[in-house]
């Protein structure tokens, strides 16, 4: 056989073998990759009209289940869904602003809607004093809803911070902090985790010792009603990443702010309102951030992320305001669903404002429709 032909055949065989090995290695790599999904939700408020809407006069009870019925397919599909609980629970009289306390039925409805865990450190954590902090924790514990951010005492904090999630061999830690508590100090021995760089760095190191694959900082921060993050938010995000966290999720401004997905970090500056009675432009809705974490033998990373816009629909029914959280994209072409054209146009305005902002400012994160 001609020497050139022999050489060509050997080269061809070599290429085939190498190609086979590449495919085998790639398949092995894919099979060794595991995933877990998270959904993050913004502010769960409890204004007076929300409490009134949930009240059932005949039974003298409260029922919030209707609030979430349109959104339950979205809140229940992730492996773990986490929301910011911006009220205390169980302290009568039940009242909204300025010192919030909602019926325990609110937490029950959140759990039934598929929300798996709550962060509780925010500027309303101390609204009802020591008893309010403790009662909120007791109610969440009785409902078996994991939580972090507020604690009965130092021992409680040691047991519940960080909050750990684990599935498919992926361990994720969440730690939670607030910029302040409206001038109301946490009464001794209760604790509300406050934004403090030294504390955050210490907690990140503690979380790393728990052999977690990702660390998420859930921060209650920023300036209310501002669509752009403040310099302080940007600085704290960078500090958290430099200190060893991987993901930062923000709440408090009551409007949405941009999301950025980078190679080694992820930031959602503000998720906006999940449910509230705030009706001013941009405050009448929020977004859910959907995230997939992937893990190989070498690293864990945010492999996919998107956002889902949500809008709070408040028609009058039976003489009082009702509350329904809508997946906005699913209803934007369904004008007949709404009792008034004004409601439909308000939702459309929220959608347009949100898409304009996020379309211009987001980095590698698109809307899920």
């Amino acid at each position: 056989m001609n020497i050139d032909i022999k050489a060509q055949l050997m080269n061809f065989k070599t290429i085939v073998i190498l190609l086979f090995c590449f495919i085998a290695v790639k398949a092995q790599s894919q099979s060794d990759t595991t995933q877990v999904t998270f959904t993050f939700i913004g502010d769960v408020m409890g204004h007076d009209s929300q409490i009134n809407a949930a009240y059932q006069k005949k039974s003298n009870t409260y029922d919030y289940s209707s609030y979430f019925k349109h959104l339950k397919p979205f809140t229940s599909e992730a492996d773990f869904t986490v929301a910011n609980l911006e009220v205390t629970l169980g302290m009568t009289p039940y009242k909204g602003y300025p010192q919030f306390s909602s019926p325990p039925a609110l937490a029950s409805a959140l759990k039934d809607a598929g929300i798996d865990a709550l962060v509780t450190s925010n500027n309303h954590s101390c609204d009802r004093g020591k008893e309010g902090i403790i009662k909120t924790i007791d109610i969440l514990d009785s409902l078996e809803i994991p939580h972090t951010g507020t604690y009965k005492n130092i021992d409680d904090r040691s047991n519940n911070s960080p909050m750990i999630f684990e599935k498919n061999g992926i361990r994720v830690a969440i730690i939670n902090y607030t910029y302040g508590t409206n001038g109301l100090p946490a009464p001794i021995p209760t604790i509300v985790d406050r934004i403090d760089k030294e504390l955050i760095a210490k907690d990140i190191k503690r979380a790393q010792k728990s052999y977690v694959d990702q660390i998420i900082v859930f921060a209650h921060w920023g300036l209310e009603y501002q669509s752009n993050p403040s310099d302080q938010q940007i600085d704290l995000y960078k500090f958290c990443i430099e200190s060893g966290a991987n993901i930062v999720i923000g709440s408090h401004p009551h409007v949405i702010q941009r999301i950025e997905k980078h190679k080694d970090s992820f930031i959602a500056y503000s998720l906006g309102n999940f449910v509230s009675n705030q009706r001013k432009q941009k405050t009448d809705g929020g977004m859910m951030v959907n995230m997939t974490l992937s893990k190989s033998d070498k690293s864990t990373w945010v492999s996919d992320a998107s956002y889902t816009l949500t809008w709070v629909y408040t028609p009058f029914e039976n003489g009082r305001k009702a509350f329904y959280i809508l997946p906005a994209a699913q209803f934007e072409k369904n004008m007949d669903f709404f009792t008034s054209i004004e409601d439909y146009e308000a939702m459309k305005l929220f959608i347009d404002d949100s898409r304009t902002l996020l379309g211009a400012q987001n980095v590698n994160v698109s809307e899920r429709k």
Side-chain angles (χ1 to χ4, degrees), residues 291-329:
M291 178 187 301
T292 299
L293 299 179
S294 295
K295 180 181 180 180
S296 68
D297 59 343
K298 294 182 179 180
S299 63
T300 304
W301 68 99
V302 178
S303 57
D304 187 55
S306 63
Y307 68 89
T308 301
L309 294 176
T310 61
W311 188 72
V312 183
Y313 177 42
T314 60
F316 274 85
E317 297 177 351
N318 301 317
R320 61 181 177 176
K321 185 180 285 190
F323 288 81
Y324 302 99
I325 310 170
L326 305 181

Side-chain angles (χ1 to χ4, degrees), residues 65-323:
S65 58
S66 61
Y67 284 35
F68 310 106
K69 67 178 186 179
H70 297 290
L71 209 63
K72 187 171 182 178
F74 295 83
T75 53
S76 60
E77 70 174 351
D79 293 319
F80 302 108
T81 299
V82 183
N84 170 49
L85 181 67
E86 199 158 352
V87 297
T88 60
L89 296 172
M91 294 293 293
T92 55
Y94 300 135
K95 291 289 293 180
Y97 184 85
Q99 292 181 300
F100 291 90
S101 178
S102 291
L106 173 59
S108 297
L110 290 169
K111 182 176 182 178
D112 291 342
I115 293 171
D116 301 290
L118 297 166
V119 293
T120 56
S121 178
N122 53 69
N123 58 306
H124 290 287
S125 298
C126 297
D127 278 2
R128 298 298 181 96
K130 179 170 71 173
E131 190 177 353
I133 293 172
I134 292 173
K135 196 155 193 175
T136 301
I137 291 169
D138 285 341
I139 289 169
L140 296 179
D141 287 345
S142 70
L143 294 170
E144 298 182 339
I145 299 175
H147 56 89
T148 195
T150 58
Y151 317 94
K152 295 180 180 180
N153 49 49
I154 190 64
D155 290 336
D156 186 25
R157 188 181 194 276
S158 296
N159 294 329
N160 291 294
S161 181
M163 180 166 58
I164 303 288
F165 300 88
E166 185 169 6
K167 187 169 183 177
N168 299 330
I170 302 175
R171 281 173 60 84
V172 178
I174 293 182
I175 46 182
N176 172 219
Y177 309 89
T178 180
Y179 74 93
T181 51
N182 293 344
L184 301 171
I188 296 172
T190 63
I191 298 171
V192 177
D193 279 341
R194 300 282 293 269
I195 291 174
D196 175 270
K197 286 184 176 180
E198 184 177 346
L199 175 64
I200 293 171
K202 181 179 178 181
D203 286 345
I204 288 172
K205 288 182 179 179
R206 183 165 176 251
Q208 289 171 332
K209 292 178 181 178
S210 298
Y211 302 102
V212 297
D213 299 291
Q214 296 273 282
I215 298 173
I216 300 172
V217 176
F218 207 121
H220 203 74
W221 60 0
L223 302 175
E224 289 185 324
Y225 315 120
Q226 300 302 306
S227 298
N228 294 307
S230 66
D231 291 342
Q232 289 82 4
Q233 284 172 274
I234 295 170
D235 175 71
L236 184 61
Y237 154 60
K238 291 179 179 178
F239 174 82
C240 290
I241 300 305
E242 290 168 358
S243 299
N246 313 98
I247 298 162
V248 179
I249 305 293
S251 62
H252 175 63
H254 300 301
V255 295
I256 61 174
Q257 296 175 348
R258 69 176 181 265
I259 316 167
E260 301 176 11
K261 175 180 174 290
H262 301 290
K263 181 180 179 182
D264 298 314
S265 68
F266 183 96
I267 172 68
Y269 281 104
S270 176
L271 303 176
N273 286 328
F274 182 57
V275 59
S276 80
N277 189 45
Q278 293 188 327
R279 306 309 297 167
K280 291 181 181 180
Q281 186 177 350
K282 300 182 182 180
T283 69
D284 50 352
M287 64 180 173
M288 302 188 302
V289 169
N290 318 295
M291 178 187 301
T292 299
L293 299 179
S294 295
K295 180 181 180 180
S296 68
D297 59 343
K298 294 182 179 180
S299 63
T300 304
W301 68 99
V302 178
S303 57
D304 187 55
S306 63
Y307 68 89
T308 301
L309 294 176
T310 61
W311 188 72
V312 183
Y313 177 42
T314 60
F316 274 85
E317 297 177 351
N318 301 317
R320 61 181 177 176
K321 185 180 285 190
F323 288 81

